[in-house]
Amino acid sequence: MMMGKVYLIGAGPGRLDYLTLRAKELLSIAEVLVYDALVEPKILELVSSKSLKIDVGKRGGLPSTEQQTINQLLVEYCLQGKQVVRLKGGDPLIFGRVYPEMRSLHDAGCDFELVPGITSALAAPLLAGIPLTDKDLGRCFAVFSGHDTNILDWGALAKIDTLVILMAGKSLGIIIEQLQANGRSSDEAIAIIRNCSLVTQQIWTGTLADILDQTDGVSLSPSIIIIGQVVNLRIMSDHLPLWGQTILVTRAAEQKSQFTNLLEAQGASVVEMPALEIRPPSSWQSLDNAIAILNQFDWLILTSANGVEYFFNRLATLGKDTRALAGVKIAVVGKKTAAILKHFGIQPDFIPPEYVADSLCDRFPENLEGKKILFPRVETGGREVLVKDLSQRGATVIEVAAYESGCPSKIDLRASMALQQHKINIITFASSKTVQNFYNLIQQVTNPLSLLENVCIASIGPQTSKTCLELFGRVDLEAKEYTLEGLTDAIINRLNNL
């Protein structure tokens, strides 16, 4: 049997972005995942769907898995020859209760590896713009837990320039009382950062005298508390324009969304909802026949990233490469389509400036009379306008099925819950088909159109907007440039003008 191994990994302060490269690599190969109450579900998506996932998270006030049980799980799966990832928030060796797990693994002869994570004790002040050290105001700092306030040496702690306190939401009043009793001024600066790094991050600043009034009635879990003069040095950079917005992105089931990366870079929290299933056509015959006579075509037109990938993958399956396109010019619709084409080492000869198929004919770079055009496309449900326009201008268009798209059978659980709990601020659609499929999927929920109340419906272009109007009765914004970048800009502009 292959030797098992356990990886004790820190997940960082919460956001997927702050996970280490080593942690991402190990999550991708995990056969068993034993994880705590992580703050961003996307981290769990890095693990294969075939892996066993065991939630042992400790949540305040709720029943939790006994530490001994966790130790046994790690040992048992390791001895079975499994690659086991033990995932904990922050850094595993800072208030992570990892030592008992290390001890149990060592005693059982199990191999293990420690992988550091960014602790919230350091990340929270940084993300709040607070320097933990300063040559004049903060020459040292101490990090401690607010759980057991009775055993702490408050006389010693009160003398330290800066204090960073974890798990102290419920004991804040006691901490303030003890510090003041041991000589700390009531005017001492304090900051509280809740849900650091997440879109729900909140920050309170004040003094030991007034912070309790500011946070009265507010749950401060999970939070980091910083006490010291360095809090007065706080400088925040401008907020990202989409900070605080939760955006639902409809996408193909098999594809990780480039759009998600664009939105998250602007501060948004993104929920991805698979609304398309891309699969091979019912028959390859028509595409294979066209590939066999590629040299007879003047132009190859590709209007989607899926069309590009399926066409070139089929070309390779038939034992051909890009040399088979010698003498054939290529027109593509959209920046993303062009970008995928470049992955195959080809630069398109023409991209219509409006990035939509409807403008391709109007801007075509040469007379179409007598031209023979190959158009690999979706098998069913595609629009006929492009073929009609090309044919009316004298071209002979050979349409072939390169792929098929359909609607998933079930609505994504995470997306469904976010909609039903009214956590979504904006829903984005990059094609008419995703609009139609989204509409079909939400019929599985009671009162489906109520899910869209107070939600902004964002469209990438005119045809997508038309479908939104037909099915939802409205569309709230449309990109001026019909690209994902254009849609991102349109969302930002709308929020700036509210």
Side-chain angles (χ1 to χ4, degrees), residues 18 70 129 210 248 394 487 489:
Y18 301 137
I70 298 173
D210 65 23
L248 184 72
L487 184 51
D489 290 341

Short mmCIF file of all heavy atoms in Angstrom, two decimals, residues 18 70 129 210 248 394 487 489:
data_model
loop_
_atom_site.label_atom_id
_atom_site.label_comp_id
_atom_site.label_asym_id
_atom_site.label_seq_id
_atom_site.Cartn_x
_atom_site.Cartn_y
_atom_site.Cartn_z
N TYR A 18 -5.61 34.81 -0.54
CA TYR A 18 -4.52 34.83 0.43
C TYR A 18 -4.06 33.45 0.85
O TYR A 18 -3.29 33.30 1.80
CB TYR A 18 -4.93 35.65 1.66
CG TYR A 18 -5.30 37.08 1.32
CD1 TYR A 18 -6.40 37.70 1.89
CD2 TYR A 18 -4.54 37.80 0.41
CE1 TYR A 18 -6.74 39.01 1.57
CE2 TYR A 18 -4.86 39.10 0.09
CZ TYR A 18 -5.96 39.71 0.66
OH TYR A 18 -6.29 40.99 0.33
N ILE A 70 -10.84 14.07 15.97
CA ILE A 70 -10.10 14.63 14.83
C ILE A 70 -8.74 13.94 14.71
O ILE A 70 -8.31 13.55 13.62
CB ILE A 70 -9.93 16.15 14.98
CG1 ILE A 70 -11.30 16.85 14.99
CG2 ILE A 70 -9.05 16.71 13.85
CD1 ILE A 70 -11.24 18.33 15.31
N GLY A 129 -5.17 48.99 7.28
CA GLY A 129 -4.27 50.13 7.12
C GLY A 129 -3.57 50.53 8.40
O GLY A 129 -3.14 51.69 8.55
N ASP A 210 -14.84 54.74 24.54
CA ASP A 210 -16.09 54.81 23.78
C ASP A 210 -16.37 53.61 22.87
O ASP A 210 -17.44 53.53 22.25
CB ASP A 210 -16.14 56.10 22.94
CG ASP A 210 -15.06 56.16 21.86
OD1 ASP A 210 -14.55 55.10 21.43
OD2 ASP A 210 -14.72 57.28 21.43
N LEU A 248 -23.78 37.61 -8.80
CA LEU A 248 -24.00 36.26 -9.34
C LEU A 248 -23.59 36.25 -10.80
O LEU A 248 -24.09 37.03 -11.61
CB LEU A 248 -25.47 35.87 -9.22
CG LEU A 248 -25.82 34.45 -9.66
CD1 LEU A 248 -25.31 33.44 -8.65
CD2 LEU A 248 -27.32 34.29 -9.84
N GLY A 394 -23.67 37.71 -50.79
CA GLY A 394 -23.05 36.93 -51.86
C GLY A 394 -22.14 35.81 -51.42
O GLY A 394 -21.57 35.11 -52.26
N LEU A 487 -18.74 45.09 -19.45
CA LEU A 487 -19.80 44.84 -18.47
C LEU A 487 -19.32 45.20 -17.07
O LEU A 487 -20.09 45.76 -16.27
CB LEU A 487 -20.23 43.37 -18.55
CG LEU A 487 -21.41 42.94 -17.66
CD1 LEU A 487 -22.61 43.86 -17.84
CD2 LEU A 487 -21.80 41.50 -17.96
N ASP A 489 -17.12 47.52 -16.34
CA ASP A 489 -17.13 48.99 -16.29
C ASP A 489 -18.55 49.53 -16.11
O ASP A 489 -18.77 50.50 -15.37
CB ASP A 489 -16.53 49.57 -17.57
CG ASP A 489 -15.03 49.33 -17.67
OD1 ASP A 489 -14.40 49.07 -16.63
OD2 ASP A 489 -14.48 49.41 -18.79
#
